[in-house]
Amino acid sequence: MTNSMKAVTIPEFGPAEVLRLGSVAIPEPGPGEVSIDVAYAGANFAEVLYRQGVVDVPLPFVPGIEVSGRIRALGEGVTGLSVGEPVAALTIVASGGYAAVVTTSAGLVAPLRDLEPEVAAAVPSNSTTAFLVLERVAGLKRGERVLVHAAAGGVGSQLGQVARLLGAGRVVGTVGSEAKIAAAKAFGYDEVVLRDEVEGTGEFDVVVDMVGGPARRASLDRLAPMGRLVVMGNASGAEDVGIPANELWFTNKTVSGFNLAAFSAVAPETVRRALRRAVTAVADGTLRVDVESLPLEDAVTAHRRIESGSTTGKLVLRVR
């Protein structure tokens, strides 16, 4: 029996072309972990950052922060899951999802009932993040006004819908091009505008920014008194934007950050609840996820498209 499997690795930092399809050793689950035979792996901007060297990871590195598949083996002490069971899982703490087999904490796994694996692979990162950001970080209250940047993207498409589910009074999204406006409007937004036109949208109680650069400064300006800005990315690649603490003091505004990988490492039980809630919402049709799949061999193409900003919804990689 072979002890190797196919996987896409990052052998060196650089452009999408550095990604390599090859063979690596099959991982075994440790205590409290499970291994999963991967059906699909989500393709995310986070994996682009790993590949670019923005996040310091040991090379060669197998990226992949979320998957769907079936439980292959249970580590010591794992209960409540069974071998062969279909699941969706966050593999975000150690990555490894761009492979035939991946291991992750049993606490970051959600059993699947009535959800196809292609769709399930698109849920763990973005849909889970939407619930955590709006409820736990922003503390969204019914009737409040929400602004989301990159509204047509993977996480943006979920934030608009979750804001609506949680009772937001007005939900506005921004996009980077006219071509994305119609796509974003289908994801729960009352209004979608170009990012450089955000000044005319009024005030908001919650703003979620994963773009950075000028959008971050504009986000702070759009906050109403007692408003909350949640920073969760820098897709623009722009220089960091300084936010003077005295300005927050004088204007009664709050800035928070959210990083799903770091939070999953320290609060897996909280993440598990949000993950399972997200899976249920997508399965029962409460949340809509638009998915396009590519074979694992086309990981380079997936990364190019994500970096170009041309994608809407979610790309997943077909592993099996």
Side-chain angles (χ1 to χ4, degrees), residues 3 13 26 51 88 94 110 166 182 192 206 232 236 269 286 305:
N3 190 41
F13 298 126
I26 297 175
R51 196 205 71 231
L166 298 177
V192 179
V206 173
M232 49 169 292
S236 67
E269 181 60 28
T286 306
R305 289 177 58 185

Side-chain angles (χ1 to χ4, degrees), residues 274-293:
L275 168 61
R276 296 190 178 197
R277 183 177 179 186
V279 167
T280 298
V282 175
D284 67 19
T286 306
L287 276 185
R288 171 186 154 207
V289 179
D290 282 0
V291 178
E292 178 186 351
S293 66

Side-chain angles (χ1 to χ4, degrees), residues 140-146 160 162-171 190:
L140 179 66
K141 302 175 183 65
R142 296 192 69 84
E144 287 192 317
R145 301 155 295 179
V146 178
V162 171
R164 183 70 63 215
L165 286 176
L166 298 177
R170 180 179 179 230
V171 186
D190 295 307

Side-chain angles (χ1 to χ4, degrees), residues 223-309:
L223 283 182
M226 304 308 294
R228 291 87 72 198
L229 166 61
V230 182
V231 175
M232 49 169 292
N234 188 41
S236 67
E239 290 294 320
D240 197 7
V241 175
I243 299 176
N246 281 350
E247 179 181 348
L248 303 179
W249 166 34
F250 285 125
T251 59
N252 293 296
K253 297 176 182 179
T254 298
V255 178
S256 301
F258 182 75
N259 180 288
L260 182 60
F263 192 66
S264 297
V266 300
E269 181 60 28
T270 301
V271 175
R272 182 189 70 84
R273 290 194 295 269
L275 168 61
R276 296 190 178 197
R277 183 177 179 186
V279 167
T280 298
V282 175
D284 67 19
T286 306
L287 276 185
R288 171 186 154 207
V289 179
D290 282 0
V291 178
E292 178 186 351
S293 66
L294 299 171
L296 181 64
E297 292 77 6
D298 286 349
V300 171
T301 299
H303 275 225
R304 285 174 180 159
R305 289 177 58 185
I306 292 170
E307 284 183 277
S308 73

Side-chain angles (χ1 to χ4, degrees), residues 44-101:
N44 299 275
F45 192 73
E47 291 123 19
V48 171
L49 297 180
Y50 293 144
R51 196 205 71 231
Q52 292 174 337
V54 175
V55 180
D56 187 19
V57 295
L59 301 179
F61 185 76
V62 180
I65 66 172
E66 61 184 339
V67 302
S68 66
R70 291 183 178 272
I71 298 289
R72 176 186 180 93
L74 305 176
E76 180 183 349
V78 174
T79 60
L81 296 168
S82 57
V83 172
E85 184 174 14
V87 295
L90 277 167
T91 54
I92 194 167
V93 176
S95 285
Y98 286 17
V101 180

